């Protein structure tokens, strides 16, 4: 598992702090999330403290610190989706799966993220479930959708 990290770090220059965000992005692309161990390694490599890295990484809503669930739900909260009513959708997903954005359910079935724009602003609010987009989403649709997804997981 460490080998993939070594491969990634080789592409960067030790001590070059401005590479932090691209480096973290690449680690997340390969591993799906940023483990504590990966953050410590990145910090040692770039000469940044773990606290500083967590601080910067949590500022960007695209980083995950826990492994993703079997079903990944992302809700867009970009300006356009926000104006079209993403907030009730965000609250409903949280209520239905029982975890806040950035978290994964304890059973590992669902993970939940908020993203800033999915590139379909005319059709918001948008959500993405394991790569599939749902447009013009209303909070009332969520209980049925989540029920369907739970059924799929149970019968997989
Ligand atoms: S703001 Fe949601 S798709 Fe652009």
């Amino acid at each position: 598992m460490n080998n993939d990290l070594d491969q990634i770090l080789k592409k960067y220059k030790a001590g070059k702090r401005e590479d932090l965000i691209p480096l973290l992005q690449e680690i997340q692309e390969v591993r799906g999330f940023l483990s504590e161990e990966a953050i410590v390694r990145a910090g040692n490599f770039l000469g940044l403290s773990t606290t500083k890295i967590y601080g910067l990484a949590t500022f960007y809503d695209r980083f995950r610190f826990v492994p993703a669930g079997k079903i990944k739900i992302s809700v867009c909260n970009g300006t356009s989706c926000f104006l079209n009513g993403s907030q009730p959708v965000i609250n409903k997903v949280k209520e239905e799966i029982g975890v806040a954005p950035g978290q994964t359910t304890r059973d590992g079935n669902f993970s939940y993220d908020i993203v800033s724009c999915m590139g379909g602003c005319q059709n918001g609010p948008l959500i993405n479930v394991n790569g599939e987009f749902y447009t013009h989403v209303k909070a009332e649709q969520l209980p049925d959708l989540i029920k369907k997804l739970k059924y799929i997981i149970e019968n997989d």
Side-chain angles (χ1 to χ4, degrees):
M1 190 70 167
N2 251 331
N3 203 22
D4 59 350
L5 252 186
D6 293 333
Q7 294 303 319
I8 294 170
L9 290 174
K10 265 188 207 163
K11 299 185 203 167
Y12 294 85
K13 201 167 171 250
K16 200 175 165 208
R17 295 173 174 197
E18 56 271 35
D19 281 346
L20 175 67
I21 298 301
L23 173 60
L24 295 181
Q25 267 171 333
E26 196 168 343
I27 295 171
Q28 180 161 285
E29 264 165 41
V30 172
R31 292 187 154 189
F33 75 110
L34 300 173
S35 66
E36 195 182 334
E37 167 238 355
I39 288 190
V40 170
R41 287 280 314 273
N44 289 340
F45 183 77
L46 296 177
L48 285 164
S49 74
T50 314
T51 320
K52 182 124 194 159
I53 295 184
Y54 273 115
L56 284 165
T58 45
F59 177 76
Y60 294 86
D61 54 16
R62 68 184 95 132
F63 293 116
R64 303 188 53 76
F65 302 99
V66 288
K70 286 183 198 147
I71 294 192
K72 298 177 236 355
I73 301 176
S74 305
V75 180
C76 182
N77 198 30
T79 310
S80 191
C81 285
F82 176 80
L83 294 172
N84 282 318
S86 59
Q87 204 55 51
V89 175
I90 287 170
N91 295 339
K92 198 68 182 172
V93 172
K94 186 176 168 190
E95 191 185 313
E96 288 295 317
I97 65 171
V99 292
Q103 296 180 344
T104 299
T105 54
R106 225 179 260 183
D107 56 13
N109 285 341
F110 291 95
S111 54
Y112 177 27
D113 287 298
I114 304 288
V115 298
S116 4
C117 182
M118 293 180 176
C121 308
Q122 309 294 327
N123 301 308
L126 247 78
I127 71 169
N128 184 303
V129 179
N130 277 3
E132 189 179 336
F133 289 99
Y134 293 74
T135 57
H136 305 288
V137 177
K138 303 232 175 310
E140 308 87 81
Q141 297 171 260
L142 268 303
D144 269 356
L145 175 64
I146 304 289
K147 207 184 284 173
K148 244 184 258 168
L149 296 170
K150 283 182 178 166
Y151 180 82
I152 292 170
I153 293 171
E154 281 161 20
N155 294 282
D156 196 23

